[in-house]
Amino acid sequence: IIYFKYFLISILPMKTYSNFVILFVHLIFNHNCFDQHESYYYYNKNKIDLKEINDRIIVKFNNNASILDCVLSLKTILDIKKINENNKHSNLFLIELEENLSNEKIVNALDLINKKRIIEYANRYYLTDLNNLIGFTNQVIVRLKSTTSSEEFYSLLALQRLIIEKRDKYDERIYTLKVSKNGNALETANRLFETDKFDFSEPNFIQKAKENTNDTYYTSQWALNNTGQNGLADCDMDVQEAWSITTGRNVIKIAIIDKGVQLNHPDLVNNLHSGFDASGLGTNGGPIGNSGHGTCCAGIVGAQANNGIGVAGVAHNCSLIPITLDYDNIVNQEVADALNWAWDYGQADVISNSWSGIAQSSIIDAAISNAVSQGRSGLGSVVVWSAGNDSQSPVNYPASNSNVIAVGAMTSSNVRASYSNFGSEIDVVAPGNAIYSTDLTGSSGYNAGDYFDNFDGTSAAAPNVAGIVALILSVNRCLNSTDTRQILELSCDKVGAYCYQPTSGYNNGTWNNEMGYGKVNAYNAVRLASSNLITTVSNVTGSDQGAITCGGNFCSWVLAAGGCSGLAAATYLVNRHNISVNISYSNTPGATIVGFANGFSDSNPNNGNFNMQVSNITSTSATLTTNVYETFTILGQSTGWVPRAPTYVRFWYSVLGHLEESKYLQNENVFGLETHQSLININAGFNVTSAVPNGDYIVQNGANITFHSGGEVNLEPGFEVLYGGEFFATVNPFFTCAEYPYGKHANFSSSYFIDSSVYFNLLDSNKIKSDYIISNHPNPFTSETTIQFEMDRNDIFSLTIFDVFGNEIQNFKSSTSNENKVFKIEFSAANLPNGIYIYSLKTKDFIKTGKMLKL
C-alpha cells in the first residue's frame, strides 16, 4: 500500500490526494467482502441479492475472432454442452456447460478465459430473487450525485482503471464506463455505489426477457366486438363503438419495441414508418429470425382496415414504428437506447412493450422517465408494458415501474387470465386470450399463413391498450402523458366478481389487486378525451332519503358471490336506503360524470360492488345516488349495515365535457339560449338526418344560438333565422396545444358584442352555406370585406350599410328580379374610421341584418 501511495502522489494533484486516499481505503475494505462470494447489485439504494449460477457463462470475443477460434479456445478449458449466439454482430455467446461446476472451478475457468487475447470479457450468470437469469457486460452505468465533483469522479476512474465510453445524451450526469479486462463489472459497480458519490451504479446487464404469450387457437377478434362468439357477449373493449368517433390519425405514432416487425406484411406495410434496431443487428426494425411475436403485436395495434384482407387493428389509421430489441439476449443499454430512440428520433406518442421479466435497472428507469417527461415535445410519450405471465404477484419489471401503464390479461369471461401477473403495480387489464393478429407471412412465424388466430398472454393485452391510448391521442393530441393515463383509467369497466374499492395511492377510481382499475373501454376513453380540463371532487357526503321497504315489510335481497360485501352469497331481508346528493359545476357542454361511491347499486340480485348512479345531468348540475342495506335475519334480527351505515357514505366524481364527432339539427323551433359543438361537422336544415322527422330548423325571435365546429358548418335548406333571432357560427379547431396544453376548448368568443339577426365568423376557409343567409368575410377587417348572401327565389333586394349611429354609408339595389341566387358585394372602408358597421338586406317580405368590425 505504501508503494501505491507514492504512485498516487506522482499522478494526482495534491488537492485531490486526501480525498483519493479515503476513497481508496473505502474501496479496498469493501473489496474484501467479495471474497465471501456475496453477490448483489444496488437498485433504488437497496441490495438486490443474486444467486450464482455455475452451469453457464457469458463470453464476448473480439470482433476479429472467428466462430471456430471462439469454440476451440473455450473447449480447452471447459466441457461445453451448447453455444448460443444470439447477437452475431457483437460476438456475444451464452455458453451452457455439461455440468454444474463448483464455485472454485467456475472462478478459475473464468480467470483462464479472460487471459486469452481473443476474449474481450467472460462473466458468470446469476439468478435474482424473482428467478430472472442475468449476466453482465464489461460496462458499468452510473449517475453522479449533484454534489460529486469532477475531481472525485476522475479520481475514482483512475483508481478503478475505468474508461468513459459514453455520456448520456439526455442526462449529462449518466456515464457508461468500461471496466478493464481484469476487472469485474458487478463488483466495480457496487464499490462505486458504496462510495456514496453516485445516485446509482449498476452493471450493464444482459438478460433474457419473457415473451408474454400463451398459445391456444381460436378464430375471432372478440376483443374489438364480442357478440357472444367467444365467451360473454359484450366482453370486449367497445372498440367498434369507439370507431364511430375515431379510427385513429396517421400523425399518431405507436412504437412497437419487440423482436421486430415484418416490414412488408400486406396488412401492416401501409401503416409502417422507418424503424430502428437497438440491438445492432441491421434489421431496421424487421424481425429477428423466425420470430413472429413483434408482428403479432403490431397487428393488434395497427393492422390496416377496410383493405379486403386480414384483420383490423385497434387504431388502424395510426402509424407504427418498428423497433427491434433482441430480448433473448437483452442488454440494459440497448433497452434504454430503444426507449430513447422511440420518443426522440421516432417521435412516438405511444411506446408498446410486450415483454418483461428482467432485473430492475436504473438506466432503464432513466430512459422511461425521459420518455414520459420529454416525449411529444414535453407532453410526454405514454409507455405501455405487459405485466407478465407467471401467475404471480408482483408484476414483472419494467411493468412495475410507476411511470408505465402495467397491463394484465383478462379472458372473455371477464376474469383475470390465470397466467396474468397481478399486484400493487397493476393498472388495467385487457383481452389476452385467443387474439387474432398478423403473423410472419408464409411458413415462418407461429404457423403457416399470414395470420395467427391464437396470440395469447399479456403480450396481446399490452398492444390492445396501446391501441386505445392511440385513439385517445387521436381525439386530443393536447393531453399530456399523465392526463392520458388518467382518462384511460377513469374510463375502465369494473368487470368480474372482484371488489373494486377506494385505495390509497390509486386516484383514478376504484381499484382491485387483480384487475387494477378494470377492463379498458375504448368508447368511454375517446369520449372523455375530447373533454375540458377534468374537474375532480372527492369525499362528498350524501343524505339518506329514508328506508325503502316492500309493501311496508322487509325486501328479499339476493347477494351474488364476490364483490365487496363481506357476506356469503345468499338471500337476505333488507331495508334499502337510497343515499343521494345534488352536485353543481361550471358550465360543461356535453357533461359526463365518472366516479364512484362506497355504496352498492339498487339491483336485485346484487353483485356487491361499489356503484354510483348519475341522473338529472345538465351542463351545470347532476344528481348522484348510491344505496346501502340494513340487513336482517329471517327472524327479523338486525345483522348490521352493508356495506356501511348511511353516515359513512361518500362520493368521488370527475366532471368531463365531451364532443360528438358530428351533430345534425332539424325539425325544431329554437327559443332561448343554445350552444351546439361538434368535433368535425354541424349540419342544420330540413333533412340532414334520418334519426328524427324532417322539418325546418328555425331560430325564433329572441333566440341566441351558437354553433362551433372543428371542421365545417353546413346550413342546408330549411335552416332559417327569423328577425330578432341571433345566430353565431365559428369554424376552428377545438384544441390548441400551445395555448391550452391540457386540451381545454379553444376560445372562440369575439372581443366585441353581437346582437344582430345573423352573424357568421369564418376563421378559416371552411364553408357555411344555406338559403336565406348573409355573411361577410373577413370580419373583423381592415380595409375591405365581402358581403355575400343567397336567396331562395328571384326578388328585388336592397343592401344598406350604416355606421353605429344609424347614418347610411352605402346602398346597393337591384331594380328588377334576378335569376342569380348568390350575390357578392365588395365593401371598401379604407377611408372610414374604425368601429362597428351594420348591414341590412331587405326584400319584399324579409329583412336580415348583421354587424362587422373595422380594425
Side-chain angles (χ1 to χ4, degrees):
I1 296 178
I2 293 175
Y3 167 78
F4 193 62
K5 177 178 178 181
Y6 281 105
F7 172 72
L8 296 176
I9 293 173
S10 69
I11 64 171
L12 293 177
M14 286 302 297
K15 66 179 180 178
T16 66
Y17 170 71
S18 59
N19 284 338
F20 191 95
V21 170
I22 293 172
L23 292 171
F24 172 75
V25 173
H26 179 82
L27 291 169
I28 291 297
F29 175 78
N30 282 282
H31 179 68
N32 292 333
C33 298
F34 290 89
D35 293 335
Q36 303 170 15
H37 303 292
E38 180 187 7
S39 297
Y40 58 91
Y41 76 100
Y42 286 99
Y43 174 73
N44 280 347
K45 302 182 180 179
N46 297 315
K47 283 185 178 180
I48 306 297
D49 292 327
L50 300 174
K51 179 183 177 182
E52 296 164 337
I53 301 298
N54 293 339
D55 65 350
R56 67 194 68 197
I57 60 174
I58 186 167
V59 181
K60 171 73 179 298
F61 290 88
N62 294 332
N63 288 332
N64 57 359
S66 69
I67 294 178
L68 180 60
D69 290 337
C70 299
V71 174
L72 292 176
S73 66
L74 293 176
K75 285 193 171 182
T76 62
I77 300 172
L78 293 168
D79 292 328
I80 297 173
K81 178 180 180 181
K82 186 177 181 182
I83 298 178
N84 297 309
E85 184 184 16
N86 290 319
N87 194 334
K88 296 178 181 178
H89 286 259
S90 61
N91 279 355
L92 190 65
F93 294 85
L94 167 60
I95 312 297
E96 296 183 33
L97 308 180
E98 286 287 357
E99 60 178 323
N100 192 15
L101 302 178
S102 68
N103 191 67
E104 181 181 2
K105 285 185 177 180
I106 199 79
V107 169
N108 290 337
L110 288 171
D111 184 57
L112 290 173
I113 293 171
N114 276 310
K115 288 179 179 178
K116 291 183 174 290
R117 298 179 65 179
I118 64 171
I119 301 295
E120 188 169 327
Y121 61 81
N123 291 316
R124 71 195 312 165
Y125 267 91
Y126 300 85
L127 279 178
T128 70
D129 55 352
L130 295 176
N131 290 320
N132 304 119
L133 183 66
I134 61 173
F136 52 89
T137 68
N138 62 343
Q139 295 173 323
V140 174
I141 303 174
V142 299
R143 180 164 64 193
L144 279 70
K145 285 188 172 180
S146 58
T147 55
T148 300
S149 67
S150 298
E151 293 173 346
E152 291 173 315
F153 179 45
Y154 287 113
S155 296
L156 285 169
L157 295 182
L159 177 60
Q160 292 295 303
R161 299 177 65 188
L162 299 170
I163 298 173
I164 297 176
E165 284 201 330
K166 179 181 177 181
R167 191 174 188 178
D168 192 86
K169 175 181 177 180
Y170 306 101
D171 186 338
E172 292 188 348
R173 293 189 290 126
I174 294 179
Y175 292 85
T176 299
L177 310 176
K178 183 178 181 180
V179 179
S180 67
K181 187 171 182 179
N182 295 325
N184 180 293
L186 179 64
E187 297 176 5
T188 301
N190 290 340
R191 289 199 296 270
L192 291 177
F193 184 79
E194 288 162 0
T195 65
D196 200 33
K197 300 298 179 182
F198 301 91
D199 289 331
F200 65 78
S201 174
E202 63 188 24
N204 193 10
F205 286 121
I206 298 175
Q207 307 181 56
K208 178 177 174 63
K210 302 172 184 177
E211 280 187 2
N212 295 325
T213 55
N214 292 324
D215 297 337
T216 57
Y217 286 90
Y218 218 81
T219 58
S220 64
Q221 287 184 274
W222 66 268
L224 307 184
N225 184 39
N226 193 344
T227 59
Q229 75 272 32
N230 187 338
L232 300 175
D234 201 35
C235 181
D236 53 54
M237 301 184 296
D238 281 357
V239 173
Q240 184 166 298
E241 292 86 344
W243 287 346
S244 67
I245 298 175
T246 181
T247 55
R249 299 174 61 200
N250 60 10
V251 294
I252 301 299
K253 300 176 183 177
I254 307 104
I256 309 295
I257 299 181
D258 209 281
K259 285 188 178 179
V261 176
Q262 183 177 337
L263 302 180
N264 62 348
H265 193 288
D267 222 0
L268 297 173
V269 64
N270 291 330
N271 286 343
L272 285 172
H273 278 241
S274 298
F276 173 65
D277 190 332
S279 294
L281 302 174
T283 69
N284 296 318
I288 299 174
N290 197 37
S291 175
H293 191 264
T295 302
C296 280
C297 294
I300 292 172
V301 180
Q304 187 179 352
N306 302 314
N307 59 349
I309 59 171
V311 295
V314 174
H316 52 256
N317 281 330
C318 291
S319 300
L320 301 172
I321 305 172
I323 298 179
T324 304
L325 181 68
D326 184 3
Y327 51 71
D328 278 338
N329 189 27
I330 208 162
V331 179
N332 287 10
Q333 185 63 61
E334 292 176 358
V335 178
D337 290 344
L339 290 162
N340 283 323
W341 191 94
W343 72 262
D344 188 7
Y345 294 97
Q347 298 183 332
D349 299 275
V350 189
I351 304 174
S352 181
N353 301 269
S354 287
W355 54 273
S356 61
I358 62 175
Q360 297 161 319
S361 166
S362 297
I363 188 61
I364 294 175
D365 286 348
I368 292 171
S369 178
N370 292 338
V372 300
S373 61
Q374 299 180 51
R376 299 176 59 235
S377 301
L379 289 173
S381 300
V382 182
V383 183
V384 177
W385 225 294
S386 58
N389 298 335
D390 306 304
S391 306
Q392 68 182 19
S393 175
V395 306
N396 285 340
Y397 180 83
S400 59
N401 182 298
S402 60
N403 282 322
V404 311
I405 297 173
V407 182
M410 54 162 284
T411 74
S412 56
S413 298
N414 272 336
V415 298
R416 177 179 67 85
S418 59
Y419 55 79
S420 180
N421 287 4
F422 57 96
S424 60
E425 301 91 349
I426 198 72
D427 291 302
V428 297
V429 294
N433 281 26
I435 304 302
Y436 199 104
S437 189
T438 48
D439 190 16
L440 298 184
T441 54
S443 60
S444 299
Y446 286 99
N447 60 7
D450 300 349
Y451 299 90
F452 184 41
D453 60 0
N454 181 27
F455 193 58
D456 281 9
T458 55
S459 273
N464 270 321
V465 172
I468 293 177
V469 173
L471 294 181
I472 291 172
L473 295 177
S474 294
V475 171
N476 185 355
R477 294 193 70 191
C478 307
L479 294 166
N480 64 25
S481 58
T482 300
D483 292 331
T484 305
R485 181 172 183 162
Q486 182 183 29
I487 284 172
L488 180 77
E489 294 171 352
L490 280 172
S491 61
C492 285
D493 294 329
K494 312 299 180 180
V495 298
Y498 301 91
C499 180
Y500 300 86
Q501 58 186 334
T503 306
S504 178
Y506 300 86
N507 301 320
N508 294 329
T510 52
W511 179 89
N512 175 264
N513 185 59
E514 294 188 63
M515 305 289 278
Y517 288 100
K519 179 188 68 176
V520 289
N521 186 304
Y523 183 55
N524 289 345
V526 296
R527 287 191 301 157
L528 301 189
S530 59
S531 303
N532 287 308
L533 185 63
I534 299 171
T535 301
T536 300
V537 180
S538 301
N539 208 37
V540 175
T541 303
S543 58
D544 186 356
Q545 304 301 307
I548 299 173
T549 61
C550 296
N553 299 313
F554 296 131
C555 299
S556 177
W557 183 65
V558 178
L559 178 65
C564 307
S565 69
L567 298 177
T571 299
Y572 295 85
L573 299 178
V574 302
N575 285 330
R576 176 168 64 87
H577 288 246
N578 179 270
I579 312 299
S580 177
V581 61
N582 294 318
I583 62 171
S584 60
Y585 37 85
S586 60
N587 185 57
T588 307
T592 298
I593 297 176
V594 294
F596 59 93
N598 56 359
F600 290 164
S601 74
D602 59 359
S603 64
N604 192 0
N606 195 295
N607 65 4
N609 273 328
F610 292 124
N611 181 271
M612 180 183 79
Q613 293 107 46
V614 182
S615 60
N616 304 323
I617 187 168
T618 72
S619 60
T620 57
S621 64
T623 301
L624 311 179
T625 58
T626 191
N627 300 271
V628 295
Y629 292 83
E630 189 178 5
T631 60
F632 300 87
T633 68
I634 58 174
L635 299 177
Q637 296 173 325
S638 174
T639 56
W641 291 92
V642 177
R644 58 191 40 79
T647 305
Y648 301 103
V649 172
R650 297 291 185 272
F651 296 87
W652 293 258
Y653 64 90
S654 297
V655 181
L656 311 96
H658 74 267
L659 301 172
E660 298 175 62
E661 186 176 47
S662 296
K663 180 162 285 191
Y664 303 91
L665 303 168
Q666 68 186 37
N667 193 31
E668 185 177 356
N669 286 298
V670 186
F671 300 88
L673 177 67
E674 282 191 11
T675 298
H676 296 284
Q677 300 180 341
S678 174
L679 282 172
I680 300 178
N681 294 326
I682 296 179
N683 302 275
F686 176 80
N687 181 20
V688 295
T689 177
S690 59
V692 297
N694 291 347
D696 293 345
Y697 184 89
I698 301 174
V699 180
Q700 296 287 342
N701 180 16
N704 189 319
I705 308 302
T706 297
F707 287 179
H708 178 195
S709 172
E712 184 173 297
V713 172
N714 290 315
L715 303 180
E716 306 288 353
F719 173 85
E720 186 172 1
V721 180
L722 298 185
Y723 182 75
E726 298 179 26
F727 175 70
F728 177 49
T730 300
V731 179
N732 63 2
F734 276 85
F735 303 116
T736 310
C737 297
E739 188 174 0
Y740 303 107
Y742 293 95
K744 184 178 178 180
H745 288 178
N747 181 7
F748 60 88
S749 298
S750 301
S751 58
Y752 53 96
F753 68 92
I754 303 298
D755 62 0
S756 57
S757 297
V758 184
Y759 178 81
F760 296 95
N761 181 15
L762 296 179
L763 298 185
D764 54 22
S765 60
N766 290 286
K767 59 183 177 180
I768 292 182
K769 60 183 182 180
S770 174
D771 297 339
Y772 295 106
I773 74 166
I774 181 169
S775 64
N776 74 290
H777 184 68
N779 187 14
F781 64 97
T782 54
S783 59
E784 293 184 351
T785 186
T786 299
I787 302 170
Q788 178 174 320
F789 53 94
E790 300 178 29
M791 304 174 65
D792 70 335
R793 55 187 177 274
N794 300 332
D795 207 347
I796 298 174
F797 70 86
S798 67
L799 176 71
T800 307
I801 299 174
F802 304 90
D803 64 18
V804 73
F805 302 107
N807 300 313
E808 183 176 319
I809 304 298
Q810 199 165 357
N811 182 265
F812 307 89
K813 290 184 178 181
S814 65
S815 57
T816 60
S817 297
N818 295 275
E819 294 187 3
N820 293 328
K821 294 186 177 182
V822 179
F823 300 88
K824 292 183 179 180
I825 296 176
E826 303 293 333
F827 173 54
S828 176
N831 298 322
L832 297 175
N834 294 342
I836 295 174
Y837 292 86
I838 300 169
Y839 52 82
S840 176
L841 177 66
K842 294 182 180 181
T843 68
K844 179 180 179 182
D845 53 5
F846 74 94
I847 300 175
K848 289 181 182 264
T849 62
K851 284 191 177 181
M852 48 192 178
L853 178 67
K854 179 178 183 293
L855 298 175

